């Protein structure tokens, strides 16, 4: 046992860094505080420009169309259309503890929302109608947006 | 004053832990200078392109030292998987402005320096982390799988159709001695491979690759002075962007920024229809769906008809427009920060007539194209090269 190890595929010598660099980000929320407070209560907020009526999701504190800062939060409707989806089988390190999950993109009231689809992959079809809600995954503190197909 | 390419170099691609990361960079640099037209003293500036994957967070200076280019100035350019083209764009403008005569662009990624789950995480974080990766665990195969699902639904394409892209690109990878996978695959092997992000399967994906590529971008005067025997000219670089986030997309069957970049490049080069004009193209096939989208975004086929090009074998040599004769990202490999430069290296080889047996396109008009996408279109570059 020395400091040199060997790559499992090529057998070539490698040095495994014994020092692990732990990275954790702290994201300042600013006006997004309101979005996350609502999400904890099960509501999903978008933003609406009071000047020109432009709707946005995810929320933003100014309007990219007219640059107005006169913005209000509004609650997204709870029924939308599933545009597309994929079942993630090989997961990133930070999601490796979960069983395979389906990520979908849903169009609702002119904006698009990303979330997890609760269904079997085989049963899904683009353009089908879904119910949009918020829930916590077993063992998770973080609320997530979920889509459930409406029969 | 035209801007052209004085010299090229590329390392062997693969799981390259037979060399350390610095020697991997040197493999390309060595080829550049061994071509015999340019020497380190001729270089005015170095643009380094990489997304990271190294323990050093500012690698440009360290590589520049190792490959022996001090005191020439250097900086890094980053645009995810399009970093290489972004670096070439920067170098082109340095030369075009007259600030430099010869700029070396060096691209490098040694992705196997990270263990696979970390590499998957690293790649995913080239996307929109805050809204999409953190809470929903989307990956890069996942991003493109969303396009594949929608494309199959709208146009009736099948998983088999996309596997045909893998079969083609492995066919040419088998003829490229620098490719990561120098072996052919069958439709059955592709179809039987496991899902990575359904409907994308293992054989629909480009691999995790170690590799480097380098190119010298020079002024016309310099190219003449250096006596470059077969100069290749950069006729056009079209570029564009679009929202990185899924929520900002208007289409899941096209990368609109690629369409815009192509339009600009064709206009700059005076090309109306690329079919019959472009002799050979490299397109960003990080996943097989991405190659089909590229056919359409580049105007090789109408929307929904890109899949017919691969079904009919029109992107092989002898077809309407040969694509990815180096094996593409799929079989040659995809060291993300080096890919855009590797594409240029390939087109230069093709236009010079230096590609290996069985993968050299017939060069009739002397025109080649590169299509390099970062993320899912937040960075897009289309270049036209001419002999
Ligand atoms: Zn507005």
């Amino acid at each position: 046992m020395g400091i040199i190890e060997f790559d499992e595929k090529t057998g070539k010598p490698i040095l495994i860094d014994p020092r692990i660099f732990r990275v954790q980000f702290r994201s300042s929320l600013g006006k997004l505080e309101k979005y996350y407070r609502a999400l904890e209560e099960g509501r999903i907020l978008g933003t609406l420009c009071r000047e020109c009526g432009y709707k946005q999701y995810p929320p933003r504190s100014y309007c990219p169309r007219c640059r107005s800062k006169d913005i209000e939060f509004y609650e997204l409707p709870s029924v939308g259309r599933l545009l597309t989806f994929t079942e993630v089988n090989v997961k990133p390190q930070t999601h490796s503890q979960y069983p395979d999950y389906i990520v979908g993109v849903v169009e609702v009231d002119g904006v698009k929302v990303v979330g997890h689809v609760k269904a079997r992959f085989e049963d899904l079809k683009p353009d089908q109608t879904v119910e949009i809600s918020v829930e916590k995954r077993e063992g998770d503190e973080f609320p997530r947006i979920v889509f459930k197909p409406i029969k | 004053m035209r801007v052209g390419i004085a010299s090229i170099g590329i390392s062997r691609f693969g799981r390259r832990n037979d060399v350390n990361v610095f020697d991997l960079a040197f493999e390309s640099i060595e080829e550049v200078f061994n071509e015999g037209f340019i020497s380190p003293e001729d270089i005015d500036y170095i643009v380094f392109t990489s997304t990271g994957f190294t323990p050093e967070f500012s690698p440009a200076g360290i590589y520049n030292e190792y490959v022996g280019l001090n005191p020439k100035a250097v900086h890094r350019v980053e645009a995810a998987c399009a970093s290489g083209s972004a670096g070439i764009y920067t170098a082109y403008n340095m030369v075009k402005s007259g600030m430099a005569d010869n700029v070396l662009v060096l691209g490098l990624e040694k992705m196997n320096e990270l263990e696979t789950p970390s590499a998957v995480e690293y790649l995913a974080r080239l996307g929109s982390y805050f809204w999409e990766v953190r809470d929903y665990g989307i990956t890069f195969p996942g991003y493109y799988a969303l396009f594949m699902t929608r494309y199959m639904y709208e146009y009736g394409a099948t998983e088999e159709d996309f596997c045909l892209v893998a079969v083609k690109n492995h066919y040419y990878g088998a003829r490229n001695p620098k490719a990561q996978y120098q072996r052919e695959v069958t439709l059955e092997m592709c179809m039987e491979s496991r899902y990575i992000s359904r409907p994308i399967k293992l054989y629909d994906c480009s691999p995790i690759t170690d590799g480097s590529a380098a190119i010298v971008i020079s002024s016309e005067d310099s190219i003449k002075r250096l006596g470059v025997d077969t100069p290749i000219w950069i006729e056009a670089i079209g570029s564009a962007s679009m929202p990185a986030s899924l929520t900002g997309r208007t289409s899941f069957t096209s990368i609109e920024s690629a369409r815009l970049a192509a339009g600009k490049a064709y206009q700059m080069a005076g090309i109306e229809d690329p079919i019959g004009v472009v002799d050979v193209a490299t397109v960003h096939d990080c996943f097989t769906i991405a190659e089909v989208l590229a056919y359409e975004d580049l105007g090789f086929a109408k929307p929904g008809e890109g899949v017919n090009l691969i079904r009919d074998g029109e992107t092989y040599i002898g077809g309407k427009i040969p694509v990815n004769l180096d094996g593409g990202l799929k079989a040659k490999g995809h060291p993300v920060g080096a890919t855009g430069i590797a594409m240029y290296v390939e087109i230069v080889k093709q236009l010079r007539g230096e590609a290996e047996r069985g993968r050299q396109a017939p060069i009739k008009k002397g025109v080649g194209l590169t299509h390099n996408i970062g993320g899912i279109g937040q960075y897009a570059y289309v270049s036209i090269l001419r002999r």
Side-chain angles (χ1 to χ4, degrees):
Chain A
M1 274 279 289
I3 59 168
I4 296 170
E5 297 192 33
F6 298 92
D7 182 73
E8 68 270 22
K9 288 193 181 145
T10 63
K12 302 291 180 191
I14 51 176
L15 195 68
I16 307 273
D17 190 344
R19 288 169 252 282
I20 293 180
F21 172 39
R22 183 178 161 276
V23 179
Q24 184 166 37
F25 291 94
R26 306 159 69 241
S27 304
S28 303
L29 285 176
K31 291 180 178 154
L32 285 177
E33 180 186 359
K34 194 163 179 174
Y35 172 82
Y36 282 102
R37 289 217 184 280
L39 198 67
E40 282 192 296
E41 292 163 5
R43 294 179 300 126
I44 306 165
L45 304 184
T47 42
L48 172 69
C49 173
R50 287 204 189 96
E51 289 283 333
C52 77
Y54 190 63
K55 286 175 179 170
Q56 281 194 100
Y57 182 87
R60 222 182 275 189
S61 53
Y62 76 98
C63 174
R65 197 161 73 178
C66 72
R67 289 186 301 284
S68 166
K69 286 186 176 170
D70 191 7
I71 294 290
E72 67 180 3
F73 282 92
Y74 77 104
E75 190 172 338
L76 295 186
S78 63
V79 174
R81 180 170 66 104
L82 180 65
L83 293 176
T84 188
F85 53 89
T86 178
E87 181 179 71
V88 180
N89 315 106
V90 174
K91 296 142 214 157
Q93 190 187 56
T94 50
H95 290 257
S96 57
Q97 70 272 36
Y98 302 118
D100 293 358
Y101 44 86
I102 299 173
V103 178
V105 184
V106 165
E107 186 171 64
V108 51
D109 189 29
V111 299
K112 295 182 187 77
V113 180
V114 174
H116 281 156
V117 189
K118 288 188 98 175
R120 280 175 5 128
F121 185 90
E122 293 81 359
D123 298 337
L124 290 173
K125 249 185 114 153
D127 285 348
Q128 78 186 99
T129 306
V130 292
E131 187 199 7
I132 308 165
S133 59
V134 180
E135 62 168 51
K136 285 180 186 173
R137 199 152 31 176
E138 312 75 65
D140 257 9
E141 276 305 299
F142 231 83
R144 60 169 181 162
I145 296 170
V146 295
F147 309 127
K148 291 170 197 148
I150 297 172
K151 303 280 173 315
Chain B
M1 166 78 82
R2 289 188 292 179
V3 174
I5 294 150
S7 192
I8 54 170
I10 189 164
S11 78
R12 187 162 57 78
F13 282 11
R15 190 176 175 95
R16 291 295 314 278
N17 41 33
D18 57 311
V19 288
N20 71 33
V21 62
F22 304 105
D23 285 333
L24 186 63
F26 190 71
E27 283 184 20
S28 294
I29 298 290
E30 196 181 13
E31 283 200 358
V32 160
F33 295 125
N34 284 352
E35 285 210 311
F37 302 112
I38 197 149
S39 55
E41 307 80 70
D42 300 317
I43 304 290
D44 298 310
Y45 205 101
I46 296 96
V47 175
F48 180 72
T49 70
S50 165
T51 64
F53 287 90
T54 55
E56 294 90 7
F57 288 176
S58 186
I62 300 162
Y63 289 89
N64 204 41
E65 173 189 351
Y66 191 83
V67 300
L69 289 164
N70 293 137
K72 305 298 169 71
V74 64
H75 72 257
R76 171 160 70 157
V77 165
E78 188 277 319
C81 312
S83 297
S85 290
I88 289 169
Y89 186 84
T90 304
Y92 176 96
N93 283 294
M94 287 177 178
V95 172
K96 193 84 178 170
S97 73
M99 280 293 279
D101 284 326
N102 305 295
V103 179
L104 173 73
V105 192
L106 168 64
L108 172 92
E109 216 76 80
K110 200 162 188 318
M111 300 167 72
N112 284 298
E113 299 285 283
L114 287 181
E115 27 119 37
T116 302
S118 306
V120 173
E121 177 87 22
Y122 200 108
L123 286 168
R125 286 178 183 236
L126 297 177
S128 177
Y129 178 78
F130 190 84
W131 292 103
E132 292 164 8
V133 183
R134 186 193 62 205
D135 297 338
Y136 303 106
I138 190 86
T139 58
F140 253 90
Y143 275 122
Y144 274 95
L146 294 169
F147 286 79
M148 186 163 157
T149 297
R150 187 76 203 183
Y151 190 98
M152 287 166 68
Y153 171 72
E154 282 194 21
Y155 301 126
T158 63
E159 291 184 28
E160 281 90 345
D161 291 328
F162 296 100
C163 275
L164 292 172
V165 175
V167 171
K168 173 181 71 73
N169 292 353
H170 273 270
Y171 174 85
Y172 288 116
R175 285 150 182 80
N176 179 359
K178 296 285 181 81
Q180 178 156 1
Y181 296 128
Q182 296 172 34
R183 58 182 163 84
E184 294 184 27
V185 300
T186 62
L187 187 60
E188 293 68 38
M189 284 161 78
C190 178
M191 284 303 291
E192 283 164 15
S193 65
R194 68 193 159 98
Y195 285 116
I196 299 298
S197 193
R198 194 172 176 184
I200 282 185
K201 295 178 290 303
L202 180 66
Y203 279 47
D204 289 306
C205 301
S206 56
I208 289 174
T209 305
D210 305 331
S212 73
I215 194 163
V216 178
I217 308 293
S218 301
S219 65
E220 186 166 7
D221 283 350
S222 179
I223 281 176
K224 284 183 182 148
R225 207 179 320 123
L226 295 166
V228 175
D229 58 358
T230 316
I232 305 298
W233 305 102
I234 301 176
E235 281 224 328
I237 309 180
S239 56
S241 74
M242 66 182 302
S245 59
L246 294 166
T247 52
R249 307 243 135 199
T250 52
S251 169
F252 284 100
T253 55
S254 167
I255 308 281
E256 291 149 274
S257 55
R259 212 170 266 281
L260 288 171
K264 282 191 201 171
Y266 291 150
Q267 192 181 22
M268 213 172 149
I271 294 172
E272 267 177 33
D273 180 357
I275 300 289
V277 175
V278 175
D279 291 319
V280 58
T282 57
V283 309
H284 199 92
D285 61 324
C286 47
F287 302 97
T288 54
I289 172 69
E291 177 159 328
V292 173
L293 297 178
Y295 295 164
E296 298 177 12
D297 294 336
L298 291 166
F300 300 172
K302 292 194 185 82
E305 294 178 6
V307 75
N308 296 336
L309 282 186
I310 190 69
R311 281 179 191 149
D312 299 341
E314 296 287 8
T315 47
Y316 281 86
I317 292 171
K320 273 185 191 159
I321 185 153
V323 173
N324 288 340
L325 304 184
D326 55 356
L329 280 49
K330 174 72 202 80
K332 180 189 57 179
H334 182 25
V336 288
T339 280
I341 300 165
M343 286 178 165
Y344 261 67
V345 167
E346 166 62 9
I347 293 299
V348 169
K349 278 188 189 171
Q350 289 283 345
L351 295 180
R352 284 177 180 174
E354 289 175 355
E356 288 79 10
R357 246 182 96 113
R359 62 173 216 89
Q360 172 69 53
I363 303 302
K364 295 170 192 155
K365 305 270 174 158
V367 179
L369 177 150
T370 74
H371 159 277
N372 187 198
I373 304 299
I376 43 173
Q378 49 265 50
Y379 313 102
Y381 295 87
V382 173
S383 300
I384 306 290
L385 306 185
R386 191 184 290 267
R387 184 174 167 157

